[in-house]
Amino acid sequence: MSETDRLLENNEAYAKEFDKSGLPSPPAKGVAVVACMDARMDVHSMLGLKEGDAHVIRNAGGVVSEDALRSLVISQRLLGTEEVILVHHTDCGMLTFKDEALKDAIEADTGERPDFPFHAFSDLEGSVRTSIERIKENPFIPRKDSVRGFVYEVETGRLREVV
Amino acid sequence: MSETDRLLENNEAYAKEFDKSGLPSPPAKGVAVVACMDARMDVHSMLGLKEGDAHVIRNAGGVVSEDALRSLVISQRLLGTEEVILVHHTDCGMLTFKDEALKDAIEADTGERPDFPFHAFSDLEGSVRTSIERIKENPFIPRKDSVRGFVYEVETGRLREVV
């Protein structure tokens, strides 16, 4: 039995107790969270979010990539969110490698070199600031009064504000 | 008080009860989930995931964008995941607009036309299949034995397998 099959069994149990039908599509709290994909972060638990409350955008690093910007534009313009919470975290995998070294390894393994950036970073707080700047500079995101960046401490469960 | 400030208060409460320090970075269940950012999906609750279990990658639509592929490459190659669960959902916002119409509206509002795709789609199951194909065709993702695509029903809380 695969892990996927086990998780589908969990979903059966979730569906049996499900009482969240009829929630509207626009997030009730008007918030979009951008966070790293890291397994140690349960964004809903860490922020006390419930189904229906907030958009959650996640990728490797929690960096504000082009795709995160695409998602934020849709979140604000079509679904009415007004606040952004950006979350990177301590002990992030993105701090442990360099783009060029990963590309070298992949090329050695597959015979083909990735032509896209992996967005590894060496300065955690600096990366939060860079990502926040990318949101603030983007001409297509209309609401920027509350765009705040944090480091989540995997050691304590606490969000520490950076910018 | 902003919603962000209220969520930070929730995080204080979470941190006070926090007993998850010391979890390793590689996901315990070896799973990466790719899902839509939709507010009605709490990926951890719907799959019975706990902190430490799985990578969670989310964006508008849950489409396998270039950035989702970047995240999956890092997830598998650097952090050892072996299974992918892709989740789109009923009543998705991506079904309600067309890329060109959104670009028209943004250009009218800002004077500048977005030069990137928004990845709107009109066929929900078709979009799941397209995204699964993008993973299977990608030369940099090594493990493809368990790459499965689902529609989450916001009406029932249930995951329905598509491919």
Side-chain angles (χ1 to χ4, degrees):
Chain A
M1 193 180 200
S2 69
E3 287 294 344
T4 298
D5 287 321
R6 285 192 191 92
L7 298 178
L8 290 172
E9 286 189 349
N10 294 346
N11 176 252
E12 282 293 327
Y14 176 77
K16 271 188 191 135
E17 304 292 322
F18 189 73
D19 58 358
K20 306 289 195 323
S21 64
L23 288 174
S25 176
K29 297 202 181 296
V31 171
V33 181
V34 179
C36 183
M37 69 178 179
D38 192 275
R40 293 163 291 184
M41 291 199 291
D42 174 344
V43 168
H44 283 75
S45 292
M46 83 163 63
L47 290 170
L49 290 167
K50 294 191 170 56
E51 288 94 334
D53 280 350
H55 283 146
V56 182
I57 299 157
R58 301 184 66 173
N59 64 34
V63 294
V64 174
S65 59
E66 291 296 318
D67 199 50
L69 289 169
R70 173 185 73 86
S71 298
L72 285 171
V73 171
I74 291 169
S75 176
Q76 291 205 352
R77 288 189 173 266
L78 299 182
L79 292 156
T81 65
E82 302 195 332
E83 301 181 29
V84 179
I85 297 174
L86 176 79
V87 184
H88 291 198
H89 64 93
T90 54
D91 196 39
C92 185
M94 304 298 284
L95 294 159
T96 66
F97 71 96
K98 305 279 183 207
D99 271 32
E100 292 310 308
L102 179 56
K103 289 185 184 185
D104 289 347
I106 291 174
E107 189 175 9
D109 184 37
T110 68
E112 199 172 335
R113 190 170 187 85
D115 62 354
F116 53 86
F118 281 101
H119 297 312
F121 48 78
S122 55
D123 173 0
L124 182 58
E125 281 79 8
S127 178
V128 173
R129 287 192 193 91
T130 300
S131 278
I132 292 288
E133 279 164 24
R134 282 177 59 85
I135 297 172
K136 293 202 168 172
E137 287 167 0
N138 188 278
F140 307 124
I141 296 177
R143 301 183 195 95
K144 298 175 181 175
D145 287 344
S146 184
V147 177
R148 295 165 64 179
F150 301 85
V151 166
Y152 174 76
E153 299 175 343
V154 297
E155 302 82 7
T156 66
R158 187 163 276 113
L159 285 162
R160 169 162 50 81
E161 188 150 16
V162 173
V163 59
Chain B
M1 193 179 198
S2 68
E3 287 295 345
T4 298
D5 286 322
R6 286 193 189 91
L7 298 178
L8 290 172
E9 286 189 350
N10 293 346
N11 176 252
E12 283 293 326
Y14 177 77
K16 270 188 190 136
E17 303 292 322
F18 189 73
D19 59 358
K20 306 288 194 326
S21 63
L23 288 175
S25 176
K29 298 204 181 294
V31 171
V33 181
V34 180
C36 182
M37 70 180 178
D38 192 274
R40 291 162 293 183
M41 292 199 289
D42 175 344
V43 168
H44 283 75
S45 292
M46 85 164 62
L47 291 170
L49 291 168
K50 294 191 171 55
E51 287 96 333
D53 280 349
H55 283 146
V56 182
I57 299 157
R58 301 184 66 173
N59 63 35
V63 294
V64 174
S65 58
E66 291 296 318
D67 199 51
L69 290 168
R70 171 185 75 86
S71 298
L72 285 171
V73 171
I74 291 169
S75 176
Q76 290 205 354
R77 289 190 172 265
L78 299 182
L79 293 157
T81 64
E82 303 194 332
E83 301 179 32
V84 180
I85 297 173
L86 176 79
V87 184
H88 291 200
H89 64 93
T90 54
D91 195 39
C92 185
M94 304 299 283
L95 293 159
T96 66
F97 71 96
K98 305 281 183 205
D99 271 32
E100 292 310 307
L102 179 55
K103 288 184 185 185
D104 289 346
I106 291 174
E107 189 175 8
D109 184 37
T110 68
E112 199 171 337
R113 191 172 186 85
D115 62 354
F116 53 87
F118 281 102
H119 298 310
F121 48 79
S122 55
D123 173 0
L124 183 58
E125 281 78 9
S127 177
V128 172
R129 288 193 192 91
T130 300
S131 278
I132 291 289
E133 278 164 24
R134 283 176 61 83
I135 297 172
K136 293 202 167 170
E137 287 168 359
N138 188 277
F140 307 123
I141 295 177
R143 301 184 195 93
K144 298 174 182 175
D145 288 343
S146 185
V147 177
R148 295 165 65 180
F150 301 85
V151 166
Y152 174 77
E153 299 175 343
V154 297
E155 301 82 7
T156 66
R158 186 164 277 114
L159 285 162
R160 170 162 51 82
E161 187 149 15
V162 174
V163 59

